[in-house]
Amino acid sequence: MPLTMNDVDRFEASRPRLEAIAYRLLGSASEAEDAVQDTFLRWQAADVGRVEVPEAWLTKVLTNLCLNQLTSARARRETYVGEWLPEPLLAGDPMLGPADTAEQRESVSYAVLAVMERLSPNERAVYVLREAFDYPHREIAEILDISEAASQQIFHRAKKHVADGKARTEIDEAEARRIVEEFLAAATSGHTEPLVRLLTGDAVAIGDGGGKVPARAKAFEGALAVATFMRGLFKPGIAKRKVIGGSPDVYATTANGVPAVVAVLDGRVVGIMCLQVTAEGITAFRNQVNPDKLERATRHWATTDHGAPLLEAAF
């Protein structure tokens, strides 16, 4: 039977939650959108009149679609050019989902999304459903067709793996801007020492160009190596402008709840650098420059007020 408007409305009411779940599971906004659309097609083909709890039915279908996607994604990422990083979402993007608790905010932080890449598909699903959306283990077990005890065991194992990736300092937008301003001042000073002072000794810098934009295949490690790289990154140069297509403006904002540097050229987001910050200093830079993973950020940027750039024609 064709869907009634009421059936469509029921699905649309669930769409924001489904997108937020899918994004956390897949680390990709575009893949999350596709998974939600595939869920709608299955809703369209189902006998929805016999579905007692639409939210549970939709969550089960979506989660299993994402599990299949995660399995195939692992094979694709073995041939990915360079480092693979999640797709960052800028502040205010509804796909970030609930942010009422520390657990919900941490579950979508850029560092945790990166760490979750090391989890098995089932571990990732249990962690996301329990930590970010507070599903009871009984419901998670039904979604994944496992026992409740198995769900609890998987969750504890996943939570232990993820613990190292959690930011140990929660930062509001004003503090995030201050951190970015301080970092940019040091990065554009022409000296390495001011940058080293902002970093932890074991700081790392990782870039994802997806083979489309130059990015170092191996992470920079250690405060001095990272500081030297950052000093060069923010040094203007003709070759750099050729790669980017011009000289972008640089803004301070947050992405996935952490301080972020956003480079924008002619209204197009060409780079998002997420800073992982602890009480000891900046411990990681994750720089997304793959244009395929910046399309949603560009669309979101066009609809928001982001203020004046901190740096104009930066490169």
Side-chain angles (χ1 to χ4, degrees):
M1 292 179 62
L3 294 180
T4 66
M5 284 304 299
N6 184 53
D7 296 329
V8 174
D9 289 344
R10 284 198 293 177
F11 181 88
E12 291 303 323
S14 294
R15 184 183 289 274
R17 179 181 55 84
L18 295 174
E19 287 189 343
I21 292 173
Y23 172 68
R24 284 169 167 82
L25 288 176
L26 300 173
S28 165
S30 58
E31 290 180 3
E33 289 170 346
D34 290 345
V36 172
Q37 185 58 29
D38 286 345
T39 301
F40 176 73
L41 294 177
R42 282 159 175 73
W43 176 249
Q44 195 174 38
D47 184 357
V48 298
R50 301 182 64 181
V51 176
E52 294 182 5
V53 185
E55 179 180 295
W57 189 94
L58 292 169
T59 303
K60 182 180 179 70
V61 170
L62 174 80
T63 301
N64 282 284
L65 285 169
C66 289
L67 289 176
N68 292 336
Q69 181 76 2
L70 282 171
T71 301
S72 62
R74 288 191 168 208
R76 291 198 310 275
R77 287 169 194 170
E78 289 178 3
T79 60
Y80 192 82
V81 179
E83 294 277 355
W84 188 96
L85 289 175
E87 180 176 346
L89 298 181
L90 297 174
D93 191 313
M95 195 176 278
L96 288 169
D100 298 327
T101 67
E103 290 78 14
Q104 289 172 338
R105 292 188 292 274
E106 286 174 342
S107 72
V108 78
S109 76
Y110 208 55
V112 167
L113 287 179
V115 169
M116 283 201 292
E117 285 297 307
R118 300 201 293 263
L119 302 181
S120 71
N122 262 16
E123 286 175 335
R124 189 161 181 162
V126 171
Y127 180 82
V128 166
L129 291 172
R130 180 62 182 164
E131 192 79 343
F133 295 91
D134 202 29
Y135 276 80
H137 284 290
R138 175 181 53 78
E139 292 185 22
I140 296 173
E142 292 174 358
I143 289 169
L144 299 177
D145 292 323
I146 58 177
S147 69
E148 188 171 344
S151 176
Q152 293 170 338
Q153 291 171 356
I154 291 171
F155 174 69
H156 290 305
R157 187 165 64 243
K159 194 168 184 177
K160 184 177 180 181
H161 288 318
V162 170
D164 291 340
K166 288 185 176 181
R168 294 185 287 277
T169 305
E170 285 210 52
I171 296 168
D172 61 24
E173 288 193 28
E175 179 68 3
R177 183 179 179 87
R178 185 196 64 76
I179 290 169
V180 172
E181 288 176 345
E182 188 176 6
F183 162 68
L184 288 176
T188 56
S189 69
H191 301 284
T192 303
E193 293 79 9
L195 276 165
V196 171
R197 289 196 293 269
L198 294 179
L199 309 179
T200 61
D202 59 352
V204 298
I206 306 167
D208 178 351
K212 300 185 177 184
V213 174
R216 181 180 164 93
K218 186 178 180 181
F220 290 92
E221 298 181 357
L224 182 57
V226 171
T228 302
F229 166 66
M230 290 297 169
R231 185 186 66 183
L233 182 64
F234 285 92
K235 184 178 180 180
I238 295 173
K240 202 174 298 179
R241 288 194 290 272
K242 284 183 177 180
V243 169
I244 300 172
S247 190
D249 295 333
V250 172
Y251 296 80
T253 185
T254 61
N256 295 75
V258 300
V261 178
V262 180
V264 181
L265 179 64
D266 298 330
R268 176 171 55 93
V269 175
V270 295
I272 298 176
M273 180 186 292
C274 294
L275 282 60
Q276 185 177 349
V277 180
T278 68
E280 292 76 33
I282 303 172
T283 191
F285 297 88
R286 294 180 174 88
N287 192 20
Q288 184 57 259
V289 292
N290 183 343
D292 294 342
K293 298 182 182 180
L294 296 171
E295 292 179 357
R296 184 180 177 97
T298 294
R299 296 197 302 270
H300 183 71
W301 188 263
T303 65
T304 58
D305 178 13
H306 30 73
L310 292 180
L311 299 175
E312 294 185 350
F315 303 150

